[in-house]
């Protein structure tokens, strides 16, 4: 059933030619992107999150904190019973997008609600004497949004955290009428063909999730972006509060490593506190309640500043894929490199990189510049391998990871990867550069290089969510080098 569900779901993806036509036309997002939804979804007591960087991590922090208010030995009279978390994209399994109590739906439950949603759409088309083919279904993301809300209503979820897909004003999730609270994470330049080329245009879109009577909290923003958000708040008649870093976090070991996660955690603290107040259970944010601390420390969010180890290799994994997030990933990796000594100066450091759609060369340059500056012009990497987003060399994509909106010809010809290799050689001619046709082959190459290293090799895996998802799939399915599921995370 799950295979049938994912196969059917993949037919709703927009293919590469359609995506490219939209991008080149400059066609902006519009009100037609928002599905019509009944207002009774508001009984899910929704938290709505938008932003460019960290919106997934912030949503996960919120859900992890709320999870401490479920029934447990310390919560005999729980405030909450079922918590929904809807995020995108997924890493290994599409089921990751729709979670209840911080666990992805099981295969059986996912398949059941998938086909209930699918069949209802087809039945509605029949009642209107319309075709029941693909035209009767919404696009991939909109379908999953419908399915997520159907699932949460059917399962009796009593609060849900909803992450926007792209933008805010015209995002498919922005049918929410009365959220308890909204939040906007750090803004940057991304999805310019849909949201505009300036930070001000992007801020306008993100601010569209604000609703009157629901307070909005934002991470610190560039001044011009903040001005736009403040005007949006005034027009919508709601409050907007900028959340600075919570000083308590200097004494807490977050479950997500990297200093920048403290910005996301601080925003999550403010949003969760406001949400709990709306539910009739106000809590202080200083000092932080034990539930907040436990939720922040025990968050599980793979592929974000994650460290996994196997024989002679430390894999540093982060799904950064915008200029700003790739710089943050570089700073995190640099912070993990020991202070230079004669021994560490010669330590093997490898970059495993993929980016198929954005300006891959610009991302690679930004990563090198960030690391070179952080390491005081020390060479960031001894080796670099650039691969496609194809998971396995023989069997191709795992079904959940199949992407129809990339250029198949460019992947087959290794077009982007060869260009990246040449770019990197121009940046650092001393790096040994390799190009591979799949993530599996890139991992094998890294292992081969590491087998000749005198000490543990450090490998940074970054550039795209597709890479990180496929990379984790390779590691988890490789019996010879299988990484424990409770693998260590970076300090």
């Amino acid at each position: 059933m799950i295979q049938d569900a994912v196969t059917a779901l993949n037919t709703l993806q927009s293919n590469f030619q359609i995506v490219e036509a939209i991008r080149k036309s400059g066609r902006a997002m519009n009100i037609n992107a928002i599905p019509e939804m009944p207002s009774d979804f508001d009984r899910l007591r929704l938290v709505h999150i938008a932003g460019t960087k960290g919106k997934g991590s912030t949503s996960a922090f919120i859900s992890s904190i709320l999870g401490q208010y479920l029934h447990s030995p310390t919560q005999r009279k729980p405030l909450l019973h079922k918590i929904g978390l809807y995020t995108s994209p997924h890493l290994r399994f599409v089921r990751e997008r729709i979670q209840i109590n911080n666990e992805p739906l099981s295969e059986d439950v996912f398949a059941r609600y998938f086909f209930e949603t699918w069949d209802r759409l087809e039945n509605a088309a029949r009642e209107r004497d319309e075709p029941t083919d693909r035209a009767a279904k919404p696009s991939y993301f909109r379908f999953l949004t419908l399915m997520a809300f159907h699932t949460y209503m059917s399962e009796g979820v009593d609060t849900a955290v909803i992450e926007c897909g792209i933008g805010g004003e015209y995002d498919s999730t922005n049918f929410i009428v009365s959220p308890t609270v909204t939040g906007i994470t750090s803004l940057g330049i991304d999805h310019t063909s849909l949201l505009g080329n300036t930070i001000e245009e992007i801020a306008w879109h993100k601010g569209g999730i604000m609703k009157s009577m629901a307070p909005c909290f934002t991470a610190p923003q560039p001044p011009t972006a903040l001005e736009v958000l403040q005007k949006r708040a005034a027009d919508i008649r709601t409050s907007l509060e900028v959340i600075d870093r919570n000083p308590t976090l200097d004494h807490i070991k977050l479950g997500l490593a990297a200093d920048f996660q403290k910005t996301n955690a601080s925003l999550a603290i403010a949003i969760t506190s406001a949400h709990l107040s709306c539910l009739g259970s106000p809590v202080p944010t200083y000092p932080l309640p034990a539930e907040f601390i436990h939720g922040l420390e025990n968050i599980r969010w793979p592929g974000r500043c994650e460290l996994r180890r196997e024989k002679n290799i430390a894999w540093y994994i982060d799904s950064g894929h915008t200029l700003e997030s790739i710089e943050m990933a570089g700073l995190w990796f640099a912070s993990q490199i020991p202070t230079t000594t004669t021994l560490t100066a010669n330590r093997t450091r490898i970059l495993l990189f993929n980016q198929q759609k954005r300006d891959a060369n610009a991302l690679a340059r930004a990563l090198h510049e960030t690391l070179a500056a952080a390491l005081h012009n020390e060479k960031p990497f001894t080796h670099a391998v650039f691969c496609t987003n194809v998971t396995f060399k023989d069997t191709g994509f795992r079904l959940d990871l199949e992407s129809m909106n990339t250029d198949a010809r460019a992947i087959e010809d290794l077009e982007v990867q060869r260009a990246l290799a040449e770019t990197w050689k121009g940046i650092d001619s001393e790096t040994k550069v390799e190009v591979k046709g799949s993530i599996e082959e890139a991992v094998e190459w890294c292992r081969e290089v590491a087998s000749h290293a005198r000490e543990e090799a450090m490998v940074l895996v970054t550039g795209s969510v597709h890479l990180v998802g496929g990379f984790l799939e390779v590691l988890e399915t490789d019996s010879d080098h299988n990484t424990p599921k409770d693998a260590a995370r970076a300090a």
Side-chain angles (χ1 to χ4, degrees):
M1 286 288 286
I2 185 65
Q3 294 289 87
D4 294 338
V6 177
T7 299
L9 177 64
N10 283 345
T11 66
L12 303 182
Q13 291 190 41
S14 299
N15 66 32
F16 174 73
Q17 286 75 19
I18 292 174
V19 172
E20 277 295 282
I22 293 173
R23 184 183 67 80
K24 291 177 179 178
S25 72
R27 194 188 315 164
M29 299 182 77
N30 58 58
I31 193 67
N32 296 323
I34 303 173
E36 295 181 6
M37 296 284 201
S39 60
D40 62 354
F41 280 145
D42 290 331
R43 67 183 172 88
L44 292 173
R45 300 189 294 186
L46 300 161
V47 175
H48 204 187
I49 306 296
T52 307
K53 300 171 291 182
K55 58 191 172 84
S57 297
T58 301
S59 298
F61 272 126
I62 296 167
S63 186
S64 183
I65 296 170
L66 291 175
Q68 310 312 308
Y69 292 88
L70 296 167
H71 187 272
S72 71
T74 59
Q75 294 287 341
R76 299 293 185 179
K77 296 181 179 179
L79 176 64
L80 301 169
H81 300 280
K82 286 189 178 182
I83 301 164
L85 174 63
Y86 179 58
T87 61
S88 61
H90 59 276
L91 289 178
R92 295 181 63 207
F93 308 103
V94 68
R95 299 181 289 110
E96 298 165 17
R97 296 181 182 229
I98 305 175
Q99 300 194 17
I100 294 178
N101 291 347
N102 297 304
E103 292 289 346
L105 298 184
S106 69
E107 291 185 353
D108 289 344
V109 171
F110 182 92
R112 180 170 84 248
Y113 287 121
F114 174 87
F115 283 112
E116 284 183 10
T117 307
W118 186 273
D119 292 344
R120 286 192 186 186
L121 289 168
E122 291 199 340
N123 290 337
R126 288 191 188 96
E127 290 173 1
R128 298 191 299 267
D129 292 323
E130 295 176 355
T132 60
D133 58 8
R134 187 185 186 284
K137 318 291 191 312
S139 62
Y140 186 96
F141 182 78
R142 290 183 69 187
F143 183 95
L144 284 171
T145 302
L146 285 166
M147 178 185 160
F149 277 79
H150 170 56
T151 301
Y152 294 153
M153 295 286 281
S154 301
E155 288 288 318
V157 164
D158 50 12
T159 200
V161 183
I162 307 298
E163 178 197 356
C164 279
I166 296 175
E169 175 71 30
Y170 302 131
D171 185 72
S172 296
T173 65
N174 200 27
F175 57 83
I176 298 169
V177 177
S178 302
T180 61
V181 58
T182 61
I184 299 174
T185 65
S186 302
L187 299 181
I189 303 297
D190 196 21
H191 298 295
T192 53
S193 61
L194 296 172
L195 305 181
N197 295 307
T198 68
I199 195 71
E200 295 82 11
E201 291 174 294
I202 290 170
W204 184 89
H205 277 278
K206 305 294 184 181
I209 68 165
M210 296 181 194
K211 301 293 185 294
S212 62
M213 307 304 291
C216 182
F217 298 90
T218 178
Q221 306 290 0
T224 55
L226 183 58
E227 287 179 12
V228 172
L229 293 178
Q230 289 170 332
K231 186 176 187 306
R232 289 285 262 161
D235 291 342
I236 294 169
R237 296 185 179 181
T238 188
S239 62
L240 176 68
E241 182 177 347
V242 179
I243 303 301
D244 294 318
R245 184 171 294 192
N246 191 308
T248 307
L249 296 180
D250 292 331
H251 310 288
I252 295 174
K253 185 177 181 180
L254 296 177
L256 295 181
D259 186 69
F260 68 84
Q261 290 290 357
K262 293 179 181 178
T263 298
N264 298 328
S266 298
L267 182 60
I269 289 169
I271 291 170
T272 308
S273 176
H275 180 64
L276 291 174
S277 294
C278 186
L279 302 188
S281 297
V283 295
T285 56
Y286 190 85
L288 283 179
E291 291 87 351
F292 277 58
I293 294 173
H294 195 262
L296 294 168
E297 290 179 336
N298 292 280
I299 181 176
R300 289 176 297 161
W301 202 234
R304 286 81 171 178
C305 301
E306 182 180 4
L307 171 60
R308 296 192 178 206
R309 280 192 160 93
E310 61 182 59
K311 185 179 179 181
N312 219 40
I313 292 187
W315 302 102
Y316 293 83
I317 311 160
D318 188 79
S319 55
H321 55 277
T322 66
L323 282 172
E324 293 85 356
S325 61
I326 209 78
E327 289 170 356
M328 294 297 101
L331 289 173
W332 167 63
F333 183 67
S335 72
Q336 306 302 305
I337 297 173
T339 304
T340 301
T341 64
T342 302
L343 185 61
T344 58
N346 297 319
R347 186 174 184 177
T348 299
R349 293 199 292 263
I350 307 171
L351 171 65
L352 198 171
F353 189 92
N354 160 265
Q355 174 52 247
Q356 205 66 38
K357 292 189 291 185
R358 289 172 173 81
D359 189 343
N361 289 329
L363 291 178
R365 289 181 183 278
L367 178 62
H368 185 278
E369 290 171 5
T370 299
L371 279 166
L375 299 174
H376 307 292
N377 293 316
E378 180 186 341
K379 298 293 183 183
F381 299 103
T382 57
H383 301 72
V385 56
F386 301 98
C387 66
T388 68
N389 57 10
V390 175
T391 315
F392 298 106
K393 59 184 176 183
D394 294 326
T395 56
F397 292 100
R398 175 191 170 85
L399 192 58
D400 294 68
L401 301 176
E402 187 173 356
S403 176
M404 299 179 183
N405 56 20
T406 52
D407 188 344
R409 181 195 58 78
I411 291 176
E412 184 177 348
D413 295 343
L414 302 178
E415 186 177 291
V416 176
Q417 288 66 44
R418 296 186 195 283
L420 278 166
E422 291 305 312
T423 295
W424 201 271
K425 289 175 184 177
I427 296 172
D428 185 354
S429 60
E430 295 180 20
T431 304
K432 296 179 182 178
V433 176
E434 189 75 15
V435 169
K436 295 294 181 182
S438 70
I439 298 169
E440 181 184 27
E441 291 170 286
V443 169
E444 290 173 350
W445 184 81
C446 290
R447 286 172 171 158
E448 174 62 23
V449 171
S451 70
H452 301 288
R454 289 183 294 176
E455 59 177 322
E456 184 181 65
M458 301 177 69
V459 185
L460 175 61
V461 183
T462 194
S464 74
V465 176
H466 292 291
L467 167 64
V468 168
F471 170 81
L472 292 176
E473 178 67 13
V474 170
L475 257 61
E476 295 287 355
T477 55
D478 189 331
S479 58
D480 292 330
H481 298 272
N482 192 38
T483 303
K485 286 182 171 58
D486 60 346
R489 283 174 168 76

